[in-house]
């Protein structure tokens, strides 16, 4: 194993989410889903939500959003999360997230948000046309985490800056209101063999659900032929694979494919290079497609099976929302008391 989860003890609580913004991809699987299951199986209490409030920071078709939410829930279950042990729920079904986010909007500083690189990337050249929600997204994310007083947040590398903001918000709330320790300062858990999977079309951009090019990513629902075709078309360079990882510096597309092979076959990158050094991508790509299909086929099959039974998914989500609210609502009640809001 290249990817040993930490051993958990004491009063820990794990929180993470995935946006209901489209098809899940290999980056979500390796950077998030697989890690959640490892944490759950190591005995950590996990709260995992489908981020539908986050999803609408960019346009989502209303008639598709609920189906997208169920699809993420199906991926949670298919990748090994057990609703008896982990709490799986839609973010919008627990009102406390949005309520705490408002208070945090008044704690976070504009200067902090101005530094967020993901907003700059996602808003592109026309920042004035982006939704206000896209700008304050990291504040809602802080509420998602702190409303459960979560101690650890497993995510991909792209969320690092947002998690630092969450820590700053927790600290400032505790200081401003004179309640030291009220919110824990949560630790980012950015680990695993592939915390930043890159696009198959551009080695400088991360693989994303919202990338307009479907060729940029391998979706969890792609069949074997589609995966093989996408890997074949993946951007590379004409050089053969080298013997060491150092020699892959500056070859971002090649490095990404080696990282993927290693993560999918549970080997180190060095072991992969030992096997393929001197060979070109013509030989390497079909093997990569094979390991991708082998690793993902069971998850994909289980996702399809689950999606054929939306009533079962809905039962899991409704039960999860109830259990999540039972933890989050008292925290928001306490925040309201701390802030000094009126109550009878
Ligand atoms: P979007 O493009 O809509 O933002 P996304 O692909 O970035 O979608 P999210 O729902 O924003 O997916 O992220 C869900 C989880 O997957 C987060 O923990 C995030 O860090 C992780 N993740 C997203 N993309 C990658 C990637 N390319 N490599 C590793 N982890 C990733
Ligand atoms: Mg994202």
């Amino acid at each position: 194993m290249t990817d040993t989860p930490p051993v958990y003890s004491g009063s820990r609580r794990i929180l993470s989410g995935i946006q209901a913004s489209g098809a899940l991809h290999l980056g979500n699987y390796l950077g998030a889903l697989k890690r959640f299951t490892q944490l759950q199986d190591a005995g950590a209490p996990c709260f995992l939500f489908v981020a539908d409030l986050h999803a609408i920071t960019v346009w989502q078709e209303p008639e598709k959003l609920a189906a997208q939410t169920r699809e993420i829930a199906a991926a949670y279950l298919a990748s090994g999360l057990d609703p008896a042990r982990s709490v799986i729920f839609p973010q919008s079904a627990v009102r406390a997230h949005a309520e705490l986010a408002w208070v945090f909007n008044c704690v976070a500083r504009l200067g902090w948000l101005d530094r967020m690189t993901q907003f700059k990337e996602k808003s592109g050249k026309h920042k004035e046309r982006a939704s206000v929600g896209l700008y304050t997204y990291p504040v809602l994310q802080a509420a998602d985490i702190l409303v459960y007083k979560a101690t650890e947040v497993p995510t991909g590398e792209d969320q690092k800056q947002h998690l630092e903001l969450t820590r700053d918000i927790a600290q400032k709330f505790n200081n401003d209101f004179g309640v030291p320790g009220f919110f824990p300062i949560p630790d980012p858990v950015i680990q695993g063999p592939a915390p930043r999977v890159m696009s198959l079309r551009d080695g400088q951009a991360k693989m994303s659900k919202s990338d307009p090019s479907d060729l940029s990513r391998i979706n969890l629902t792609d069949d074997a032929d589609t995966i093989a075709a996408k890997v074949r078309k993946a951007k590379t360079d004409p050089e053969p694979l080298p013997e060491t990882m150092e020699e892959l510096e500056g070859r971002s597309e090649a490095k990404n494919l080696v990282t993927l092979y290693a993560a999918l076959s549970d080997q180190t990158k060095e072991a992969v290079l030992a096997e393929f050094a001197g060979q070109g991508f013509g030989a390497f790509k079909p093997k990569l497609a094979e390991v991708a299909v082998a690793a993902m086929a069971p998850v994909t099959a289980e996702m399809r099976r689950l999606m054929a039974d939306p009533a079962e998914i809905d039962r899991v989500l409704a039960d999860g929302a109830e259990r999540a609210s039972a933890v989050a609502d008292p925290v928001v009640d306490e925040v309201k008391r701390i802030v000094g809001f009126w109550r009878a």
Side-chain angles (χ1 to χ4, degrees):
M1 282 285 289
T2 52
D3 190 16
T4 316
V7 177
Y8 282 90
S9 63
S11 58
R12 319 179 95 138
R13 191 173 279 160
I14 313 297
L15 181 290
S16 201
I18 296 185
Q19 294 193 69
S21 52
L24 283 160
H25 53 77
L26 208 46
N28 300 136
Y29 178 62
L30 295 171
L33 283 167
K34 212 176 156 193
R35 306 277 313 134
F36 303 160
T37 309
Q38 288 169 337
L39 288 162
Q40 169 196 269
D41 294 347
C46 294
F47 285 71
L48 299 161
F49 64 97
V50 184
D52 50 1
L53 296 178
H54 284 287
I56 64 161
T57 55
V58 298
W59 176 252
Q60 303 296 332
E61 294 297 337
E63 61 276 14
K64 290 190 188 154
L65 187 55
Q68 287 168 201
T69 299
R70 289 190 190 100
E71 186 171 336
I72 306 286
Y76 279 149
L77 299 172
S79 58
L81 290 167
D82 169 6
R85 284 184 285 162
S86 294
V87 184
I88 299 169
F89 60 100
Q91 184 186 23
S92 64
V94 180
R95 288 168 196 241
H97 290 241
E99 219 172 330
L100 184 59
W102 179 258
V103 175
F104 285 172
N105 269 323
C106 303
V107 172
R109 304 290 93 178
L110 218 51
W112 299 358
L113 286 179
D114 279 342
R115 288 197 286 274
M116 296 296 118
T117 55
Q118 191 178 87
F119 175 74
K120 289 177 195 157
E121 283 158 21
K122 285 201 171 180
S123 59
K125 289 195 190 91
H126 299 289
K127 162 161 115 63
E128 66 287 351
R129 287 188 214 159
S131 72
V132 175
L134 189 66
Y135 186 73
T136 61
Y137 170 121
V139 176
L140 175 59
Q141 189 168 318
D144 300 332
I145 296 165
L146 295 171
V147 84
Y148 300 97
K149 297 195 171 183
T151 54
E152 280 138 281
V153 188
T155 68
E157 171 83 34
D158 61 302
Q159 294 302 318
K160 193 165 182 239
Q161 196 185 30
H162 292 165
L163 296 176
E164 278 158 16
L165 186 101
T166 293
R167 292 166 61 90
D168 290 343
I169 290 175
Q171 194 79 63
K172 190 168 190 305
F173 182 95
N174 291 349
N175 289 345
D176 285 357
F177 293 99
V179 284
F182 178 74
F183 284 122
I185 312 300
D187 287 323
V189 185
I190 301 172
Q191 293 168 349
R196 186 171 179 82
V197 174
M198 307 311 282
S199 155
L200 297 182
R201 307 299 299 165
D202 174 2
Q204 304 305 316
K206 83 164 188 78
M207 192 177 277
S208 275
K209 283 190 233 107
S210 54
D211 190 318
S213 165
D214 195 54
L215 284 178
S216 71
R217 61 183 162 261
I218 293 175
N219 299 315
L220 275 190
T221 46
D222 283 344
D223 61 23
D225 290 345
T226 311
I227 293 176
K230 285 181 176 177
V231 172
R232 207 166 42 241
K233 289 184 189 145
K235 195 174 159 204
T236 42
D237 56 45
E239 301 296 315
L241 284 162
E243 280 174 11
T244 63
M245 283 308 290
E246 290 74 54
E247 293 168 86
L248 275 179
E249 278 317 315
R251 295 174 64 187
S252 49
E253 284 88 6
K255 193 175 171 187
N256 187 42
L257 296 190
V258 170
T259 305
L260 280 178
Y261 192 105
L264 289 164
S265 61
D266 252 333
Q267 300 180 64
T268 62
K269 291 175 230 177
E270 289 70 21
V272 176
L273 288 180
E275 190 181 341
F276 290 99
Q279 299 189 36
F281 284 96
F284 181 72
K285 281 177 165 181
K287 301 277 189 198
L288 173 58
E290 260 173 46
V291 292
V293 170
M296 287 165 51
V299 181
T300 307
E302 180 61 2
M303 249 177 102
R304 289 224 173 86
R305 191 191 68 75
L306 288 160
M307 274 148 59
D309 186 3
E312 177 54 28
I313 296 178
D314 287 349
R315 270 193 293 279
V316 169
L317 289 174
D319 174 60
E322 205 174 301
R323 286 153 69 202
S325 297
V327 176
D329 289 353
V331 175
V332 165
D333 287 345
E334 185 70 356
V335 165
K336 287 168 127 176
R337 191 191 59 75
I338 291 169
V339 171
F341 287 138
W342 171 89
R343 44 188 192 149

